[in-house]
Amino acid sequence: MARLTPYLSFRDQAREALEFYRTALGGELEIMTFGSMPGMTDDPAEEELVMHGQLEAPGGLVLMAADTPSSMPYVPATSGVTVALTGGPEDMDHVQAAISTLLDGATDVMPFDPAPWGDHYGQLTDRYGITWMFDVGAS
């Protein structure tokens, strides 16, 4: 079955960001570097940059990220694109724990509180400039 998966672009912070997200979300992290694939970079200083990183967190969440070597155009996080972490009442503790970690260095924080429609809702922009939205349904 096809699925939509967030794929985040960084200049040179993908490894650091993915490790931070693993701390927040849990799961297994796999990282492939440009240096591990012959011919992917001509610059020895860029061999340890992340060519492809994938975090498989509990509950089926997959978050991918990569660095952008100097030979490619860098496209930073786009305004209007948000990573959403959502769930039901059984996910409340997991979502609150993730938020607690992601708040470190975050800006534009909307507290995770009860919303008029009955869910708990909040959002933030993390230390890497990635916007997150959180929603936990009441039932």
Side-chain angles (χ1 to χ4, degrees), residues 29-42:
L29 177 59
E30 293 182 23
I31 292 179
M32 181 184 305
T33 65
F34 282 97
S36 69
M37 298 294 293
M40 289 304 297
T41 183
D42 295 329

Side-chain angles (χ1 to χ4, degrees), residues 27-115:
E28 298 295 318
L29 177 59
E30 293 182 23
I31 292 179
M32 181 184 305
T33 65
F34 282 97
S36 69
M37 298 294 293
M40 289 304 297
T41 183
D42 295 329
D43 184 348
E46 294 182 336
E47 288 185 355
E48 291 304 309
L49 291 180
V50 175
M51 186 179 93
H52 174 74
Q54 181 168 315
L55 174 62
E56 293 197 32
L61 173 67
V62 177
L63 185 63
M64 297 181 189
D67 287 316
T68 306
S70 59
S71 62
M72 302 170 115
Y74 172 58
V75 179
T78 305
S79 177
V81 175
T82 301
V83 176
L85 182 59
T86 64
E90 69 280 4
D91 301 305
M92 180 66 83
D93 290 342
H94 178 70
V95 172
Q96 286 179 314
I99 293 168
S100 179
T101 300
L102 293 167
L103 279 169
D104 184 12
T107 59
D108 301 321
V109 176
M110 175 186 285
F112 185 66
D113 289 327

Side-chain angles (χ1 to χ4, degrees), residues 1-48:
M1 169 190 279
R3 63 181 174 183
L4 292 173
T5 304
Y7 203 115
L8 308 176
S9 176
F10 297 92
R11 169 52 80 196
D12 60 6
Q13 293 182 303
R15 180 184 304 272
E16 178 184 319
L18 284 166
E19 289 172 353
F20 179 64
Y21 298 147
R22 178 177 54 187
T23 300
L25 301 169
E28 298 295 318
L29 177 59
E30 293 182 23
I31 292 179
M32 181 184 305
T33 65
F34 282 97
S36 69
M37 298 294 293
M40 289 304 297
T41 183
D42 295 329
D43 184 348
E46 294 182 336
E47 288 185 355
E48 291 304 309

